[in-house]
Amino acid sequence: MNEITLAPSELDYKAKKCPRCFYLDKIKKITPKSFPPPVFSRFDVVQQVYFKDKNTSDLTQDLPRGRIMTKEELPGRVVSKTLKDNKGREFILGGRPDIVIEFEAGGYGIIDFKTTKLSETKSDDYKYQLEAYAQIFTKPGHIKKGPTPKLDPITHMGVLQFDPSHIYEHDQESCDMRMKMHYSPLTRNIKDFLSHITDVIDILIKPTIPEFTDGCNFCSFVQNQKRIK
Protein backbone atom coordinates (compact mmCIF):
# COMPACT_ATOMS: atom_id res chain seq x y z
CA MET A 1 0.00 0.00 0.00
CA ASN A 2 1.28 3.46 -0.90
CA GLU A 3 1.89 6.06 1.77
CA ILE A 4 -1.31 7.93 2.66
CA THR A 5 -1.43 11.72 3.09
CA LEU A 6 -4.07 13.06 5.46
CA ALA A 7 -5.09 16.66 6.09
CA PRO A 8 -5.77 17.54 9.74
CA SER A 9 -9.05 19.21 8.75
CA GLU A 10 -10.33 15.91 7.32
CA LEU A 11 -9.90 13.93 10.48
CA ASP A 12 -12.76 15.33 12.53
CA TYR A 13 -15.54 16.40 10.20
CA LYS A 14 -15.17 14.22 7.09
CA ALA A 15 -13.81 11.02 8.57
CA LYS A 16 -16.15 10.98 11.59
CA LYS A 17 -19.32 12.20 9.88
CA CYS A 18 -19.53 9.73 7.00
CA PRO A 19 -17.04 6.99 6.09
CA ARG A 20 -18.68 6.58 2.66
CA CYS A 21 -18.34 10.25 1.66
CA PHE A 22 -14.81 10.35 3.10
CA TYR A 23 -13.81 7.29 1.05
CA LEU A 24 -15.36 8.70 -2.14
CA ASP A 25 -13.55 12.01 -1.63
CA LYS A 26 -10.11 10.56 -0.88
CA ILE A 27 -10.07 7.51 -3.14
CA LYS A 28 -12.46 8.28 -6.00
CA LYS A 29 -12.07 12.11 -5.93
CA ILE A 30 -15.86 12.48 -5.81
CA THR A 31 -17.06 15.22 -3.48
CA PRO A 32 -20.09 17.55 -3.30
CA LYS A 33 -17.74 20.56 -2.84
CA SER A 34 -19.92 21.92 -0.04
CA PHE A 35 -17.51 24.49 1.33
CA PRO A 36 -18.49 26.74 4.27
CA PRO A 37 -19.68 30.22 3.28
CA PRO A 38 -16.72 32.54 2.52
CA VAL A 39 -17.78 34.86 5.34
CA PHE A 40 -16.39 32.39 7.90
CA SER A 41 -12.95 32.55 6.28
CA ARG A 42 -13.22 36.33 6.38
CA PHE A 43 -14.01 36.19 10.10
CA ASP A 44 -10.86 34.10 10.63
CA VAL A 45 -8.70 36.60 8.77
CA VAL A 46 -10.07 39.60 10.68
CA GLN A 47 -9.63 37.83 14.03
CA GLN A 48 -6.06 36.79 13.25
CA VAL A 49 -5.10 40.29 12.10
CA TYR A 50 -6.46 41.84 15.29
CA PHE A 51 -4.83 39.38 17.69
CA LYS A 52 -1.48 38.91 15.93
CA ASP A 53 0.24 41.67 17.93
CA LYS A 54 -1.53 40.92 21.22
CA ASN A 55 -0.11 38.93 24.08
CA THR A 56 -1.82 35.55 24.07
CA SER A 57 -2.62 35.79 27.78
CA ASP A 58 -5.02 38.59 26.77
CA LEU A 59 -7.08 36.12 24.72
CA THR A 60 -7.91 33.99 27.75
CA GLN A 61 -6.61 33.37 31.27
CA ASP A 62 -6.16 29.73 30.26
CA LEU A 63 -3.14 30.67 28.13
CA PRO A 64 0.23 31.87 29.48
CA ARG A 65 2.04 34.88 28.08
CA GLY A 66 3.21 34.39 24.52
CA ARG A 67 2.96 35.60 20.97
CA ILE A 68 1.36 34.42 17.76
CA MET A 69 4.02 33.24 15.34
CA THR A 70 4.14 35.09 12.03
CA LYS A 71 3.70 33.76 8.51
CA GLU A 72 7.38 34.53 7.91
CA GLU A 73 8.30 32.04 10.65
CA LEU A 74 6.04 29.28 9.40
CA PRO A 75 5.73 27.88 5.87
CA GLY A 76 2.34 28.13 4.20
CA ARG A 77 1.97 24.37 4.40
CA VAL A 78 3.45 22.19 7.13
CA VAL A 79 3.96 18.43 6.98
CA SER A 80 5.00 15.60 9.26
CA LYS A 81 7.65 13.05 8.58
CA THR A 82 6.42 9.58 7.67
CA LEU A 83 4.45 8.18 10.61
CA LYS A 84 2.91 4.77 11.31
CA ASP A 85 -0.53 3.81 12.59
CA ASN A 86 -1.23 1.02 15.09
CA LYS A 87 -0.98 -1.57 12.31
CA GLY A 88 2.37 -0.32 11.01
CA ARG A 89 0.94 1.41 7.94
CA GLU A 90 2.67 4.59 6.82
CA PHE A 91 1.01 7.99 6.54
CA ILE A 92 1.91 11.68 6.38
CA LEU A 93 0.01 14.62 7.85
CA GLY A 94 -0.06 17.94 6.02
CA GLY A 95 -2.03 21.16 6.29
CA ARG A 96 -2.20 24.86 7.15
CA PRO A 97 -2.67 25.70 10.85
CA ASP A 98 -4.67 28.72 11.99
CA ILE A 99 -2.73 29.97 15.02
CA VAL A 100 0.60 28.78 16.43
CA ILE A 101 1.83 30.37 19.66
CA GLU A 102 5.31 30.59 21.16
CA PHE A 103 5.09 31.02 24.94
CA GLU A 104 7.54 33.22 26.82
CA ALA A 105 8.20 30.51 29.43
CA GLY A 106 8.79 27.86 26.76
CA GLY A 107 6.62 25.51 24.77
CA TYR A 108 4.12 26.11 22.00
CA GLY A 109 0.37 26.24 21.52
CA ILE A 110 -1.96 25.34 18.64
CA ILE A 111 -5.19 27.33 18.66
CA ASP A 112 -8.11 27.32 16.25
CA PHE A 113 -10.38 30.37 15.82
CA LYS A 114 -14.03 29.46 15.24
CA THR A 115 -17.04 31.72 14.71
CA THR A 116 -19.73 29.53 16.20
CA LYS A 117 -22.18 29.03 19.04
CA LEU A 118 -20.22 28.99 22.31
CA SER A 119 -19.64 25.61 23.90
CA GLU A 120 -17.56 24.42 26.85
CA THR A 121 -16.58 21.30 24.88
CA LYS A 122 -16.10 22.82 21.43
CA SER A 123 -12.47 21.65 21.28
CA ASP A 124 -13.69 18.02 21.34
CA ASP A 125 -15.14 18.62 17.87
CA TYR A 126 -11.64 19.40 16.59
CA LYS A 127 -9.49 17.17 18.79
CA TYR A 128 -8.01 15.11 15.95
CA GLN A 129 -7.27 18.17 13.84
CA LEU A 130 -5.46 19.88 16.72
CA GLU A 131 -3.49 16.77 17.65
CA ALA A 132 -2.56 16.26 13.99
CA TYR A 133 -0.84 19.66 14.00
CA ALA A 134 0.86 18.77 17.28
CA GLN A 135 2.19 15.64 15.58
CA ILE A 136 3.36 17.66 12.58
CA PHE A 137 5.33 20.16 14.63
CA THR A 138 6.86 17.64 17.02
CA LYS A 139 7.70 15.21 14.19
CA PRO A 140 8.29 17.58 11.26
CA GLY A 141 8.90 16.62 7.66
CA HIS A 142 10.08 18.39 4.53
CA ILE A 143 8.57 19.51 1.23
CA LYS A 144 10.10 21.20 -1.81
CA LYS A 145 9.53 24.68 -0.36
CA GLY A 146 11.48 23.77 2.76
CA PRO A 147 11.32 21.98 6.11
CA THR A 148 8.58 22.30 8.69
CA PRO A 149 10.08 23.81 11.86
CA LYS A 150 10.24 21.61 14.94
CA LEU A 151 8.16 23.10 17.75
CA ASP A 152 8.43 20.98 20.86
CA PRO A 153 6.84 20.61 23.35
CA ILE A 154 3.25 21.44 22.44
CA THR A 155 1.89 22.50 25.84
CA HIS A 156 -1.50 23.99 24.95
CA MET A 157 -4.22 23.25 22.40
CA GLY A 158 -7.76 24.53 22.10
CA VAL A 159 -10.47 26.45 20.27
CA LEU A 160 -11.11 30.16 20.77
CA GLN A 161 -14.77 30.73 19.91
CA PHE A 162 -16.46 33.91 18.70
CA ASP A 163 -20.24 34.20 18.87
CA PRO A 164 -21.94 37.33 17.43
CA SER A 165 -24.24 38.77 20.09
CA HIS A 166 -25.53 42.14 18.88
CA ILE A 167 -24.95 45.22 16.75
CA TYR A 168 -24.36 48.29 18.88
CA GLU A 169 -23.79 50.99 16.24
CA HIS A 170 -24.22 51.47 12.51
CA ASP A 171 -24.30 53.94 9.66
CA GLN A 172 -25.49 53.53 6.08
CA GLU A 173 -22.35 51.68 5.01
CA SER A 174 -21.25 49.65 8.01
CA CYS A 175 -22.08 48.37 11.48
CA ASP A 176 -20.11 47.54 14.61
CA MET A 177 -20.84 44.11 16.00
CA ARG A 178 -20.00 42.73 19.42
CA MET A 179 -18.96 39.10 19.81
CA LYS A 180 -18.84 36.94 22.89
CA MET A 181 -15.63 34.93 23.30
CA HIS A 182 -14.88 31.65 25.02
CA TYR A 183 -11.81 29.41 25.04
CA SER A 184 -12.23 25.64 25.12
CA PRO A 185 -8.92 23.91 26.01
CA LEU A 186 -7.95 20.41 24.93
CA THR A 187 -5.69 17.86 26.59
CA ARG A 188 -3.49 15.88 24.23
CA ASN A 189 -4.35 12.20 23.81
CA ILE A 190 -1.88 10.60 21.43
CA LYS A 191 -3.18 7.07 22.02
CA ASP A 192 -6.72 8.06 21.00
CA PHE A 193 -5.34 9.94 17.98
CA LEU A 194 -3.41 6.93 16.67
CA SER A 195 -6.46 4.72 17.21
CA HIS A 196 -8.53 7.15 15.13
CA ILE A 197 -5.88 7.28 12.38
CA THR A 198 -5.89 3.48 12.29
CA ASP A 199 -9.67 3.48 11.83
CA VAL A 200 -9.37 6.13 9.10
CA ILE A 201 -6.82 4.10 7.16
CA ASP A 202 -9.00 0.99 7.57
CA ILE A 203 -11.73 2.92 5.73
CA LEU A 204 -9.44 4.08 2.93
CA ILE A 205 -8.01 0.65 2.11
CA LYS A 206 -11.39 -1.06 1.84
CA PRO A 207 -11.75 -2.93 -1.48
CA THR A 208 -15.32 -1.68 -1.81
CA ILE A 209 -17.12 1.61 -1.16
CA PRO A 210 -18.52 1.78 2.41
CA GLU A 211 -22.28 1.52 2.93
CA PHE A 212 -24.53 4.56 3.12
CA THR A 213 -24.46 6.35 6.47
CA ASP A 214 -27.63 7.14 8.40
CA GLY A 215 -27.83 10.85 9.14
CA CYS A 216 -25.56 11.91 6.27
CA ASN A 217 -27.38 14.43 4.06
CA PHE A 218 -25.42 13.45 0.95
CA CYS A 219 -26.05 9.74 1.44
CA SER A 220 -29.76 10.48 1.90
CA PHE A 221 -29.75 12.61 -1.25
CA VAL A 222 -28.25 9.80 -3.35
CA GLN A 223 -30.58 7.19 -1.89
CA ASN A 224 -33.62 9.35 -2.57
CA GLN A 225 -32.46 9.84 -6.15
CA LYS A 226 -32.40 6.08 -6.59
CA ARG A 227 -36.05 5.87 -5.54
CA ILE A 228 -37.17 8.21 -8.34
CA LYS A 229 -38.41 6.27 -11.35
mmCIF file of all heavy atoms in Angstrom, residues 186-209:
data_model
loop_
_atom_site.group_PDB
_atom_site.id
_atom_site.type_symbol
_atom_site.label_atom_id
_atom_site.label_comp_id
_atom_site.label_asym_id
_atom_site.label_seq_id
_atom_site.Cartn_x
_atom_site.Cartn_y
_atom_site.Cartn_z
ATOM 1 N N LEU A 186 -7.965 21.830 25.270
ATOM 2 C CA LEU A 186 -7.952 20.412 24.929
ATOM 3 C C LEU A 186 -6.683 19.772 25.466
ATOM 4 O O LEU A 186 -5.587 20.314 25.309
ATOM 5 C CB LEU A 186 -8.012 20.226 23.405
ATOM 6 C CG LEU A 186 -8.043 18.775 22.900
ATOM 7 C CD1 LEU A 186 -9.382 18.123 23.234
ATOM 8 C CD2 LEU A 186 -7.802 18.713 21.392
ATOM 9 N N THR A 187 -6.833 18.632 26.108
ATOM 10 C CA THR A 187 -5.691 17.858 26.589
ATOM 11 C C THR A 187 -5.254 16.868 25.512
ATOM 12 O O THR A 187 -6.095 16.184 24.921
ATOM 13 C CB THR A 187 -6.055 17.090 27.875
ATOM 14 O OG1 THR A 187 -6.456 18.035 28.875
ATOM 15 C CG2 THR A 187 -4.862 16.294 28.388
ATOM 16 N N ARG A 188 -3.978 16.795 25.262
ATOM 17 C CA ARG A 188 -3.486 15.884 24.235
ATOM 18 C C ARG A 188 -3.748 14.431 24.621
ATOM 19 O O ARG A 188 -3.605 14.041 25.772
ATOM 20 C CB ARG A 188 -1.987 16.094 24.004
ATOM 21 C CG ARG A 188 -1.635 17.434 23.393
ATOM 22 C CD ARG A 188 -0.173 17.487 22.985
ATOM 23 N NE ARG A 188 0.109 16.517 21.917
ATOM 24 C CZ ARG A 188 1.327 16.291 21.417
ATOM 25 N NH1 ARG A 188 2.372 16.959 21.888
ATOM 26 N NH2 ARG A 188 1.494 15.415 20.456
ATOM 27 N N ASN A 189 -4.123 13.632 23.609
ATOM 28 C CA ASN A 189 -4.353 12.204 23.808
ATOM 29 C C ASN A 189 -3.817 11.482 22.572
ATOM 30 O O ASN A 189 -4.554 11.230 21.617
ATOM 31 C CB ASN A 189 -5.840 11.917 24.015
ATOM 32 C CG ASN A 189 -6.106 10.473 24.440
ATOM 33 O OD1 ASN A 189 -5.335 9.559 24.115
ATOM 34 N ND2 ASN A 189 -7.196 10.248 25.163
ATOM 35 N N ILE A 190 -2.545 11.186 22.597
ATOM 36 C CA ILE A 190 -1.879 10.601 21.427
ATOM 37 C C ILE A 190 -2.395 9.187 21.151
ATOM 38 O O ILE A 190 -2.558 8.786 19.995
ATOM 39 C CB ILE A 190 -0.350 10.602 21.625
ATOM 40 C CG1 ILE A 190 0.158 12.044 21.782
ATOM 41 C CG2 ILE A 190 0.356 9.919 20.445
ATOM 42 C CD1 ILE A 190 1.628 12.149 22.118
ATOM 43 N N LYS A 191 -2.681 8.433 22.202
ATOM 44 C CA LYS A 191 -3.184 7.066 22.025
ATOM 45 C C LYS A 191 -4.511 7.074 21.273
ATOM 46 O O LYS A 191 -4.714 6.287 20.339
ATOM 47 C CB LYS A 191 -3.344 6.394 23.391
ATOM 48 C CG LYS A 191 -3.823 4.949 23.313
ATOM 49 C CD LYS A 191 -3.919 4.323 24.704
ATOM 50 C CE LYS A 191 -4.414 2.885 24.633
ATOM 51 N NZ LYS A 191 -4.517 2.265 25.989
ATOM 52 N N ASP A 192 -5.418 7.952 21.678
ATOM 53 C CA ASP A 192 -6.715 8.058 21.000
ATOM 54 C C ASP A 192 -6.530 8.520 19.559
ATOM 55 O O ASP A 192 -7.212 8.042 18.649
ATOM 56 C CB ASP A 192 -7.610 9.036 21.763
ATOM 57 C CG ASP A 192 -8.963 9.224 21.097
ATOM 58 O OD1 ASP A 192 -9.641 8.229 20.813
ATOM 59 O OD2 ASP A 192 -9.343 10.390 20.848
ATOM 60 N N PHE A 193 -5.600 9.443 19.336
ATOM 61 C CA PHE A 193 -5.342 9.942 17.985
ATOM 62 C C PHE A 193 -4.879 8.815 17.072
ATOM 63 O O PHE A 193 -5.394 8.668 15.947
ATOM 64 C CB PHE A 193 -4.287 11.051 18.039
ATOM 65 C CG PHE A 193 -3.870 11.547 16.686
ATOM 66 C CD1 PHE A 193 -4.685 12.411 15.966
ATOM 67 C CD2 PHE A 193 -2.665 11.154 16.122
ATOM 68 C CE1 PHE A 193 -4.300 12.876 14.715
ATOM 69 C CE2 PHE A 193 -2.272 11.615 14.872
ATOM 70 C CZ PHE A 193 -3.092 12.475 14.165
ATOM 71 N N LEU A 194 -3.926 8.020 17.512
ATOM 72 C CA LEU A 194 -3.414 6.928 16.674
ATOM 73 C C LEU A 194 -4.490 5.870 16.430
ATOM 74 O O LEU A 194 -4.539 5.261 15.349
ATOM 75 C CB LEU A 194 -2.187 6.298 17.322
ATOM 76 C CG LEU A 194 -0.904 7.134 17.255
ATOM 77 C CD1 LEU A 194 0.217 6.444 18.009
ATOM 78 C CD2 LEU A 194 -0.497 7.372 15.801
ATOM 79 N N SER A 195 -5.353 5.657 17.409
ATOM 80 C CA SER A 195 -6.464 4.723 17.213
ATOM 81 C C SER A 195 -7.404 5.240 16.122
ATOM 82 O O SER A 195 -7.867 4.468 15.271
ATOM 83 C CB SER A 195 -7.218 4.542 18.529
ATOM 84 O OG SER A 195 -8.333 3.688 18.368
ATOM 85 N N HIS A 196 -7.663 6.549 16.144
ATOM 86 C CA HIS A 196 -8.528 7.145 15.125
ATOM 87 C C HIS A 196 -7.878 7.070 13.744
ATOM 88 O O HIS A 196 -8.549 6.736 12.755
ATOM 89 C CB HIS A 196 -8.817 8.601 15.495
ATOM 90 C CG HIS A 196 -9.713 9.298 14.527
ATOM 91 N ND1 HIS A 196 -11.014 8.904 14.273
ATOM 92 C CD2 HIS A 196 -9.491 10.385 13.725
ATOM 93 C CE1 HIS A 196 -11.556 9.705 13.376
ATOM 94 N NE2 HIS A 196 -10.654 10.607 13.023
ATOM 95 N N ILE A 197 -6.596 7.368 13.659
ATOM 96 C CA ILE A 197 -5.882 7.282 12.376
ATOM 97 C C ILE A 197 -5.953 5.860 11.836
ATOM 98 O O ILE A 197 -6.146 5.645 10.626
ATOM 99 C CB ILE A 197 -4.410 7.708 12.553
ATOM 100 C CG1 ILE A 197 -4.310 9.211 12.795
ATOM 101 C CG2 ILE A 197 -3.583 7.312 11.329
ATOM 102 C CD1 ILE A 197 -4.669 10.069 11.612
ATOM 103 N N THR A 198 -5.804 4.876 12.708
ATOM 104 C CA THR A 198 -5.891 3.478 12.287
ATOM 105 C C THR A 198 -7.265 3.169 11.708
ATOM 106 O O THR A 198 -7.391 2.507 10.666
ATOM 107 C CB THR A 198 -5.590 2.542 13.472
ATOM 108 O OG1 THR A 198 -4.292 2.851 14.000
ATOM 109 C CG2 THR A 198 -5.626 1.082 13.044
ATOM 110 N N ASP A 199 -8.313 3.674 12.352
ATOM 111 C CA ASP A 199 -9.675 3.484 11.832
ATOM 112 C C ASP A 199 -9.850 4.180 10.484
ATOM 113 O O ASP A 199 -10.510 3.653 9.578
ATOM 114 C CB ASP A 199 -10.698 4.032 12.825
ATOM 115 C CG ASP A 199 -10.786 3.218 14.101
ATOM 116 O OD1 ASP A 199 -10.337 2.048 14.092
ATOM 117 O OD2 ASP A 199 -11.281 3.752 15.110
ATOM 118 N N VAL A 200 -9.270 5.379 10.359
ATOM 119 C CA VAL A 200 -9.371 6.133 9.105
ATOM 120 C C VAL A 200 -8.707 5.374 7.957
ATOM 121 O O VAL A 200 -9.266 5.254 6.858
ATOM 122 C CB VAL A 200 -8.736 7.527 9.270
ATOM 123 C CG1 VAL A 200 -8.512 8.191 7.908
ATOM 124 C CG2 VAL A 200 -9.613 8.420 10.147
ATOM 125 N N ILE A 201 -7.529 4.838 8.205
ATOM 126 C CA ILE A 201 -6.824 4.099 7.155
ATOM 127 C C ILE A 201 -7.566 2.800 6.832
ATOM 128 O O ILE A 201 -7.606 2.370 5.670
ATOM 129 C CB ILE A 201 -5.357 3.845 7.562
ATOM 130 C CG1 ILE A 201 -4.602 5.186 7.642
ATOM 131 C CG2 ILE A 201 -4.667 2.913 6.560
ATOM 132 C CD1 ILE A 201 -3.173 5.066 8.092
ATOM 133 N N ASP A 202 -8.163 2.179 7.827
ATOM 134 C CA ASP A 202 -8.998 0.992 7.575
ATOM 135 C C ASP A 202 -10.091 1.312 6.552
ATOM 136 O O ASP A 202 -10.408 0.493 5.678
ATOM 137 C CB ASP A 202 -9.651 0.508 8.876
ATOM 138 C CG ASP A 202 -8.700 -0.270 9.765
ATOM 139 O OD1 ASP A 202 -7.641 -0.708 9.277
ATOM 140 O OD2 ASP A 202 -9.020 -0.438 10.956
ATOM 141 N N ILE A 203 -10.686 2.506 6.679
ATOM 142 C CA ILE A 203 -11.731 2.921 5.729
ATOM 143 C C ILE A 203 -11.156 3.079 4.329
ATOM 144 O O ILE A 203 -11.724 2.608 3.341
ATOM 145 C CB ILE A 203 -12.364 4.248 6.189
ATOM 146 C CG1 ILE A 203 -13.152 4.056 7.486
ATOM 147 C CG2 ILE A 203 -13.280 4.820 5.092
ATOM 148 C CD1 ILE A 203 -13.618 5.359 8.110
ATOM 149 N N LEU A 204 -9.996 3.729 4.239
ATOM 150 C CA LEU A 204 -9.442 4.079 2.933
ATOM 151 C C LEU A 204 -8.916 2.879 2.150
ATOM 152 O O LEU A 204 -8.831 2.945 0.911
ATOM 153 C CB LEU A 204 -8.326 5.117 3.105
ATOM 154 C CG LEU A 204 -8.766 6.476 3.672
ATOM 155 C CD1 LEU A 204 -7.563 7.403 3.795
ATOM 156 C CD2 LEU A 204 -9.833 7.111 2.790
ATOM 157 N N ILE A 205 -8.557 1.808 2.832
ATOM 158 C CA ILE A 205 -8.011 0.653 2.106
ATOM 159 C C ILE A 205 -9.073 -0.408 1.827
ATOM 160 O O ILE A 205 -8.751 -1.491 1.321
ATOM 161 C CB ILE A 205 -6.829 0.016 2.873
ATOM 162 C CG1 ILE A 205 -7.297 -0.590 4.199
ATOM 163 C CG2 ILE A 205 -5.726 1.040 3.091
ATOM 164 C CD1 ILE A 205 -6.205 -1.412 4.881
ATOM 165 N N LYS A 206 -10.322 -0.105 2.137
ATOM 166 C CA LYS A 206 -11.391 -1.064 1.836
ATOM 167 C C LYS A 206 -11.434 -1.357 0.335
ATOM 168 O O LYS A 206 -11.263 -0.452 -0.476
ATOM 169 C CB LYS A 206 -12.749 -0.514 2.279
ATOM 170 C CG LYS A 206 -13.012 -0.557 3.770
ATOM 171 C CD LYS A 206 -14.376 0.015 4.086
ATOM 172 C CE LYS A 206 -14.684 -0.083 5.569
ATOM 173 N NZ LYS A 206 -14.853 -1.480 6.016
ATOM 174 N N PRO A 207 -11.672 -2.601 -0.046
ATOM 175 C CA PRO A 207 -11.751 -2.930 -1.476
ATOM 176 C C PRO A 207 -13.043 -2.444 -2.122
ATOM 177 O O PRO A 207 -13.138 -2.366 -3.341
ATOM 178 C CB PRO A 207 -11.654 -4.453 -1.489
ATOM 179 C CG PRO A 207 -12.174 -4.877 -0.143
ATOM 180 C CD PRO A 207 -11.751 -3.790 0.815
ATOM 181 N N THR A 208 -14.046 -2.140 -1.285
ATOM 182 C CA THR A 208 -15.323 -1.675 -1.811
ATOM 183 C C THR A 208 -15.741 -0.385 -1.101
ATOM 184 O O THR A 208 -15.253 -0.081 -0.005
ATOM 185 C CB THR A 208 -16.429 -2.729 -1.597
ATOM 186 O OG1 THR A 208 -16.539 -3.024 -0.201
ATOM 187 C CG2 THR A 208 -16.109 -4.003 -2.366
ATOM 188 N N ILE A 209 -16.640 0.353 -1.734
ATOM 189 C CA ILE A 209 -17.121 1.606 -1.156
ATOM 190 C C ILE A 209 -17.954 1.299 0.098
ATOM 191 O O ILE A 209 -18.796 0.409 0.071
ATOM 192 C CB ILE A 209 -17.985 2.371 -2.178
ATOM 193 C CG1 ILE A 209 -17.146 2.703 -3.415
ATOM 194 C CG2 ILE A 209 -18.563 3.639 -1.571
ATOM 195 C CD1 ILE A 209 -17.942 3.290 -4.555
#
